[in-house]
Amino acid sequence: MVEEGSSVLVDVRKYDGRVSARWTAVRLGEDEHGVWLGTARGVPVSSSAGERPGRFAYVVLVPRRGWWTATFCAAPGPEVYCDVCTVPEWSADGTVVSMVDLDLDVVRPRGGEAHVEDEDQFAERRVRYGYPDGVVEAARQTCEWLMERVGPERGGAVEPFASTYRYWLGLVG
């Protein structure tokens, strides 16, 4: 595994292999929740629509297991943005983490309640790309699990969605 401060390529694909998002982050460290990656404001993010600079700083939590990743953003971004995806896989040397975006997202805006986004895309792409039943079941279960834990900003969120991320976000310039 790479050392803290090392670059990590985050490679997120759609089920058909197209790039969903791809950028370079900095490995901040890890804790009981997983590996934390930081990205400063302005770092370029590539997608099928082209490349654009990031509008705000954020950290990504890559859990040790599970069909999700969680992004915690500095203002004005959403406080929490969880992607339901295939289980993230690390390259042997720890310099690349890759996953397939399964379209469902659990989002908690600043000061707001968590909600699910892109259920229509999930339903459409499930048919178009022929998501296997096991993938559909894992995605739906993960979405429900995240909704139970992300909760509102105050009183209800479970770590690492409550406040743990603030330490890691504070490390990103």
Side-chain angles (χ1 to χ4, degrees), residues 59-73:
V59 292
V60 175
L61 171 60
V62 181
R64 288 191 180 78
R65 56 191 165 284
W67 289 65
W68 60 277
T69 60
T71 302
F72 303 91
C73 304

Side-chain angles (χ1 to χ4, degrees), residues 7-172:
S7 292
V8 174
L9 176 65
V10 181
D11 187 21
V12 185
R13 302 286 172 148
K14 291 295 186 182
Y15 203 79
D16 66 354
R18 288 179 298 124
V19 173
S20 178
R22 187 178 170 125
W23 72 96
T24 301
V26 174
R27 182 186 171 92
L28 300 174
E30 62 183 289
D31 63 12
E32 67 272 19
H33 304 294
V35 176
W36 293 87
L37 305 174
T39 304
R41 181 176 185 255
V43 169
V45 177
S46 299
S47 72
S48 58
E51 187 174 281
R52 61 174 172 71
R55 296 177 311 166
F56 35 78
Y58 55 91
V59 292
V60 175
L61 171 60
V62 181
R64 288 191 180 78
R65 56 191 165 284
W67 289 65
W68 60 277
T69 60
T71 302
F72 303 91
C73 304
E79 187 171 12
V80 182
Y81 194 104
C82 298
D83 285 301
V84 175
C85 59
T86 58
V87 176
E89 296 181 6
W90 290 91
S91 62
D93 64 1
T95 61
V96 179
V97 62
S98 57
M99 67 228 54
V100 174
D101 179 0
L102 296 173
D103 309 308
L104 292 173
D105 303 305
V106 174
V107 180
R108 185 176 75 215
R110 294 192 177 283
E113 297 287 326
H115 62 275
V116 178
E117 290 187 356
D118 299 332
E119 290 178 282
D120 55 338
Q121 288 181 8
F122 177 74
E124 174 192 323
R125 292 178 181 157
R126 172 189 179 193
V127 173
R128 182 188 309 163
Y129 301 125
Y131 293 177
D133 290 343
V135 168
V136 171
E137 184 175 329
R140 286 187 174 146
Q141 287 177 353
T142 298
C143 191
E144 288 176 23
W145 183 88
L146 287 166
M147 278 296 295
E148 291 171 2
R149 285 157 181 80
V150 171
E153 180 180 359
R154 292 178 189 25
V158 175
E159 294 299 356
F161 309 106
S163 63
T164 297
Y165 68 90
R166 291 185 182 128
Y167 165 77
W168 300 100
L169 191 54
L171 299 177
V172 180

